[in-house]
């Protein structure tokens, strides 16, 4: 018999082709193959959270963004989960990405970060992007990378005499990672047992580390004395400390 085949629904992010045709089915049980091409929808925006130091995608949920129009106003979009609602804040998934649920008209826009996840610092600068006037030349999805730097921490140790309590200079310490310190983007910042710094107490008896990584939000290190002040006995007992976001 003769049948009409009409496209009635397409996958997300593809345009309806308007395809409709008639076919003659002359054999029982035969499968008839019809090929239909659909153009990808243009103008969708995907925001990707990126580590500012490594350039790697940060696979973390919880980063929140807003989209600003050319006048700097926060835009609202139809809520895909509420037919009567709107949404103006978009949160990354576990892959560190979020796609705006509606396509944007041609023009200039910006992305503004309003919340972060540990151990990252808020990026106070907006990230501009443009949707092409010619959809044929535009990418189906415009990727906007927002770069954040990680928060880091420091620790200070004070060396004092057990007999009179006076602070002592010239005590030397290795700063040793007590665990693998791995950033959320997968970068290994230090392995367990690795010496990450070396410090010496000054005239006030104190010594401060350089800035140290926090791993995924907290990391434990230890001061281990490698040289005692003159006239004192070396004490190699690790002095642990934890740096947290």
């Amino acid at each position: 018999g003769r049948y009409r085949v009409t496209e009635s629904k397409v996958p997300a992010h593809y345009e309806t082709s308007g395809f409709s045709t008639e076919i003659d089915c002359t054999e029982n049980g035969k499968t008839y193959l019809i090929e239909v091409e659909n153009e990808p929808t243009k103008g969708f925006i995907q925001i990707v959270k990126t580590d500012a130091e490594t350039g790697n995608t940060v696979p973390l949920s919880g980063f929140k963004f807003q989209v600003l129009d050319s006048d700097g106003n926060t835009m609202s979009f139809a809520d895909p989960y509420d037919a009567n609602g709107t949404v103006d804040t978009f949160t990354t998934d576990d892959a560190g990405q979020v796609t705006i649920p509606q396509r944007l008209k041609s023009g200039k826009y910006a992305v503004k970060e309003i919340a972060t996840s540990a151990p990252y610092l808020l990026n106070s600068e907006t990230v501009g992007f443009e949707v092409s006037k010619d959809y044929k030349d535009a990418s189906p999805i415009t990727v906007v990378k927002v770069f954040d730097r990680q928060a880091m921490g420091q620790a200070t140790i004070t060396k004092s005499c057990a007999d009179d309590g006076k602070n002592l200079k010239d005590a030397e310490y290795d700063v040793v990672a007590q665990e693998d310190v791995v950033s959320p983007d997968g970068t290994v910042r230090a392995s367990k047992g690795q010496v990450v710094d070396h410090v010496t107490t000054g005239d006030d008896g104190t010594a401060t580390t350089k800035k140290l990584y926090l791993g995924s939000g907290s990391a434990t290190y230890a001061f281990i004395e490698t040289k005692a002040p003159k006239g004192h006995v070396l004490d190699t007992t690790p002095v642990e400390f934890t740096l947290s976001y």
Side-chain angles (χ1 to χ4, degrees):
R2 171 164 287 198
Y3 299 87
R4 175 168 291 279
V5 178
T6 301
E7 184 178 76
S8 60
K9 185 178 180 180
V10 298
H13 306 326
Y14 282 87
E15 297 284 359
T16 300
S17 68
F19 177 84
S20 181
T21 189
E22 291 185 346
I23 61 171
D24 291 315
C25 299
T26 59
E27 297 181 32
N28 290 331
K30 180 180 179 179
T31 299
Y32 293 84
L33 179 64
I34 301 173
E35 294 186 358
V36 181
E37 292 187 359
N38 294 86
E39 291 290 329
T41 302
K42 314 291 185 174
F44 280 96
I45 305 301
Q46 182 182 67
I47 303 170
V48 178
K49 173 47 55 186
T50 308
D51 187 286
E53 185 176 354
T54 65
N56 296 334
T57 297
V58 180
L60 279 181
S61 61
F63 294 94
K64 296 181 183 296
F65 302 94
Q66 293 179 331
V67 178
L68 310 181
D69 62 21
S70 58
D71 294 322
N73 300 313
T74 301
M75 299 179 64
S76 295
F77 300 84
D79 189 337
Y81 304 105
D82 182 355
N84 299 316
T86 60
V87 60
D88 65 4
T89 299
F90 305 96
T91 305
T92 57
D93 56 19
D94 291 338
Q97 304 173 356
V98 61
T99 300
I100 307 304
Q102 297 171 226
R103 70 180 185 182
L104 299 177
K105 297 179 180 179
S106 61
K108 294 183 178 181
Y109 302 88
V111 169
K112 177 183 179 181
E113 186 174 60
I114 61 172
T116 65
S117 294
Y120 287 91
L121 300 170
L122 187 72
N123 186 341
S124 60
E125 296 183 0
T126 59
V127 180
F129 65 94
E130 185 172 359
V131 176
S132 173
K133 293 182 179 179
D134 187 351
Y135 280 125
K136 292 182 179 180
D137 293 336
S139 299
I141 295 181
T142 298
V143 176
V144 180
K145 294 184 177 182
V146 180
F147 294 85
D148 281 359
R149 294 194 174 279
Q150 295 183 42
M152 301 179 75
Q154 292 176 282
T156 299
I157 190 169
T158 301
K159 180 68 173 180
S160 60
C161 178
D163 295 330
D164 59 18
K166 292 183 178 180
N167 290 349
L168 302 171
K169 68 176 182 177
D170 295 332
E172 297 187 25
Y173 295 87
D174 279 341
V175 181
V176 182
Q178 300 300 287
E179 59 187 344
D180 291 340
V181 181
V182 183
S183 295
D185 70 340
T187 303
V188 178
R189 301 299 185 175
S191 300
K192 184 177 181 180
Q194 181 180 341
V195 176
V196 296
D197 198 8
H198 186 83
V199 296
T200 303
T201 57
D203 292 336
D204 61 354
T206 68
T208 300
T209 68
K210 66 180 182 181
K211 292 182 179 180
L212 303 173
Y213 289 97
L214 307 182
S216 292
S218 67
T220 300
Y221 300 86
F223 290 103
I224 299 179
E225 191 173 65
T226 59
K227 181 180 178 181
K230 185 176 180 180
H232 291 77
V233 177
L234 184 70
D235 181 1
T236 59
T237 304
V239 180
E240 290 192 357
F241 59 93
T242 298
L243 300 174
S244 299
Y245 179 71

